Amino acid sequence: MFRKVHLYLTALCAGITTAILIVMSLLYLYLSEKELYENQFRSFQNDIITISTSLEQQSVISMEWLSKMEARGGYTFYALDNGIPFLYNRLTSFSESSEIRSFLDACLEYYESHYESVSLEEGGDSPYNTCRHVEFSFHPAETEQEFYISVIELKRGTSSLQLLVLSPLDFLREQITKQRVRFFLIDIAAILLLSLFSFFFTGKLLQPVIESRRKQTEFVAAASHELRTPLAVILSAAECCRDADTEKQSRFLDTIKQEGDILTSLVNDMLTLSASDSQRFSFRPAPVELDTLVINTYEAFEPLAAEKKLSLTVTLPEESLPLCTADAERIIQLLSILLHNAVSYTPEGGRIDLSLLHKKNRFYLTVSDTGIGIPPEDRKKIFDRFYRAEKARSAKGHFGLGLSIASEIVKLHHGTLNVTGRPGGGSVFTVILHT
């Protein structure tokens, strides 16, 4: 299931980013190509102004001048004197072939149909009375080539001179084609990278969900296992009560009561964790005296420790302590969990130390014992639900939920909870809370 979701999210993420990338690339190419055409056209117009001004100052147009101007701008000239082609045209790139004549006629026809109404300007000091030049783009239907065309027209009396200046846009189109190919290759590479990034990114996003699903599955399996044992004992004892005498029935009822209490404790712990998961964990922080809470918890567990022949001590600072913003009930619950574990897993004659320390605006609550200890490889896992170190599995009434609840309580207080080994054997649980 998660594999399909992963692939779907990857496709969705990559598809959206790819669409944005393509749209942005097309927009950039459009604006860039438009600017290239405009810049080329403006450059062409400026050259035409120079050519037109130079042409006006000459009474005789020589082939040398025409050749020089062609070479300077990479243009092709076609000159007509009263509609008759110059000899220069036949000596250079233009011939009198029908294809060339057809192209030139099409240029002139386009010019006459679109720009014939443009008025001619006075010639000024030039030998010509009037002159004008018009620039336009021309794309013959029968060819793939595109040109910038300028028609320079000069008149003196009844005679007229027309000069067609052709600027092929092959170089510009080649430049644009290269730019498009570059962008295409860049987009392909970017799409591949985005797809890889999307795959790993969505995988990272799904990791908490997968981990949560895994823990949920493990939780249900472990809860089912833990619930099955007391239920089986209760059902078995209830079945035996039918044919048992009064004395045996009493023992069976005691067993049912004992297993019922264990079952109730387990269900309560599960409900507590469920409330934490759904953000309904009751939490009412207020300024409290932590030393008072520590003393109260110590006094509550002292009889239990004495019953198991354990030495339970408490250590508090001699100076007065500032108030700590915390939920008093949750702090007592936290200390009770830690002390209950210490009492359960410390052998007879062992020692348990409960201490409170204030240092640099932090409170340190410590519960240490001389019990069976926790292997280093298990210390990071003991706060997981239903996890119990191998040595502790035989302890009746411990389901591996207490430390999970303790961890949730510390998280609510924005503190930290860690466990270390004690020299000589045992464990040290330290809770750090801010003032």
Side-chain angles (χ1 to χ4, degrees):
M1 180 186 74
F2 284 109
R3 182 176 179 82
K4 289 184 178 180
V5 172
H6 187 192
L7 294 176
Y8 174 76
L9 289 177
T10 299
L12 181 63
C13 182
I16 292 174
T17 51
T18 297
I20 294 173
L21 176 65
I22 291 175
V23 170
M24 295 299 294
S25 297
L26 292 176
L27 179 62
Y28 175 82
L29 283 174
Y30 170 77
L31 295 176
S32 175
E33 292 175 13
K34 181 180 179 182
E35 186 175 1
L36 285 173
Y37 273 106
E38 290 175 352
N39 290 339
Q40 184 73 12
F41 190 70
R42 281 194 293 267
S43 176
F44 178 67
Q45 286 181 316
N46 291 333
D47 288 349
I48 293 303
I49 291 174
T50 302
I51 294 171
S52 176
T53 303
S54 177
L55 188 62
E56 285 184 76
Q57 305 304 319
Q58 299 186 54
S59 57
V60 177
I61 301 175
S62 66
M63 288 192 292
E64 181 182 357
W65 181 86
L66 289 172
S67 176
K68 182 180 178 180
M69 287 296 161
E70 274 190 329
R72 178 182 297 178
Y75 303 132
T76 301
F77 288 175
Y78 187 78
L80 297 170
D81 185 11
N82 291 322
I84 301 173
F86 274 28
L87 175 64
Y88 174 81
N89 299 328
R90 294 192 296 270
L91 298 177
T92 56
S93 58
F94 277 113
S95 66
E96 292 301 317
S97 68
S98 59
E99 183 179 349
I100 296 296
R101 287 298 304 173
S102 175
F103 172 74
L104 295 174
D105 291 342
C107 290
L108 291 173
E109 183 180 349
Y110 183 87
Y111 163 73
E112 291 170 358
S113 62
H114 289 79
Y115 301 103
E116 185 66 27
S117 61
V118 177
S119 61
L120 275 68
E121 299 176 355
E122 293 295 330
D125 297 332
S126 71
Y128 298 95
N129 302 117
T130 56
C131 69
R132 70 175 173 185
H133 58 87
V134 176
E135 292 76 46
F136 54 91
S137 61
F138 186 68
H139 189 179
E142 62 276 5
T143 68
E144 294 184 357
Q145 280 189 299
E146 188 175 359
F147 297 86
Y148 281 147
I149 305 292
S150 177
V151 178
I152 304 174
E153 190 171 359
L154 301 101
K155 287 190 177 182
R156 182 171 58 188
T158 58
S159 64
S160 67
L161 173 67
Q162 282 185 324
L163 180 64
L164 273 71
V165 182
L166 285 73
S167 175
L169 300 182
D170 295 343
F171 174 77
L172 180 60
R173 295 189 68 176
E174 182 181 353
Q175 182 181 357
I176 289 174
T177 300
K178 288 181 178 179
Q179 180 175 266
R180 288 178 179 178
V181 170
R182 281 197 301 269
F183 263 80
F184 175 77
L185 294 176
I186 290 172
D187 284 352
I188 291 296
I191 290 170
L192 292 175
L193 290 175
L194 284 171
S195 299
L196 289 174
F197 172 77
S198 300
F199 182 80
F200 288 108
F201 179 70
T202 53
K204 289 288 185 182
L205 287 179
L206 283 174
Q207 279 303 314
V209 179
I210 296 172
E211 183 65 16
S212 176
R213 178 63 179 271
R214 182 187 66 79
K215 288 184 176 180
Q216 183 182 20
T217 303
E218 291 178 355
F219 181 85
V220 171
S224 301
H225 173 75
E226 297 293 351
L227 288 170
R228 187 183 298 117
T229 301
L231 283 174
V233 174
I234 289 173
L235 292 174
S236 177
E239 184 68 25
C240 292
C241 279
R242 291 183 176 181
D243 303 322
D245 54 31
T246 304
E247 183 179 352
K248 289 183 178 180
Q249 282 184 350
S250 178
R251 290 201 301 269
F252 287 137
L253 290 175
D254 289 340
T255 300
I256 291 173
K257 174 66 169 59
Q258 181 181 354
E259 296 298 326
D261 290 340
I262 293 173
L263 195 58
T264 300
S265 175
L266 174 59
V267 171
N268 287 337
D269 287 347
M270 292 172 63
L271 289 175
T272 299
L273 290 172
S274 176
S276 172
D277 291 340
S278 59
Q279 307 298 321
R280 291 184 290 104
F281 205 58
S282 141
F283 182 63
R284 293 181 291 274
V288 296
E289 296 178 347
L290 282 184
D291 50 356
T292 301
L293 300 181
V294 170
I295 288 291
N296 291 340
T297 309
Y298 164 76
E299 292 175 349
F301 274 84
E302 192 175 21
L304 181 60
E307 182 182 342
K308 288 197 63 177
K309 297 180 181 181
L310 300 173
S311 172
L312 177 61
T313 63
V314 62
T315 304
L316 299 173
E318 294 182 0
E319 70 276 6
S320 86
L321 298 176
L323 297 177
C324 177
T325 302
D327 187 326
E329 292 184 7
R330 293 300 179 190
I331 294 298
I332 291 175
Q333 184 182 12
L334 167 64
L335 293 174
S336 298
I337 291 170
L338 297 179
L339 285 173
H340 188 263
N341 278 356
V343 170
S344 300
Y345 301 129
T346 301
E348 185 177 317
R351 177 175 175 174
I352 300 172
D353 297 315
L354 173 62
S355 64
L356 172 63
L357 174 67
H358 180 259
K359 186 179 180 181
K360 294 182 179 180
N361 296 325
R362 292 183 179 180
F363 290 100
Y364 295 83
L365 290 164
T366 305
V367 176
S368 64
D369 62 64
T370 59
I372 60 178
I374 302 172
E377 62 272 14
D378 291 326
R379 289 173 189 165
K380 292 183 179 180
K381 305 175 184 177
I382 58 173
F383 300 108
D384 294 342
R385 299 174 187 184
F386 288 109
Y387 184 84
R388 291 173 293 185
E390 205 56 44
K391 294 179 181 178
R393 290 189 183 275
S394 60
K396 185 115 172 131
H398 284 265
F399 308 101
L401 294 179
L403 289 179
S404 297
I405 296 173
S407 178
E408 294 296 332
I409 292 172
V410 173
K411 287 179 183 177
L412 283 175
H413 288 83
H414 304 290
T416 57
L417 171 61
N418 55 67
V419 58
T420 58
R422 179 171 178 166
S427 303
V428 179
F429 286 85
T430 303
V431 179
I432 303 175
L433 300 176
H434 297 279
T435 303

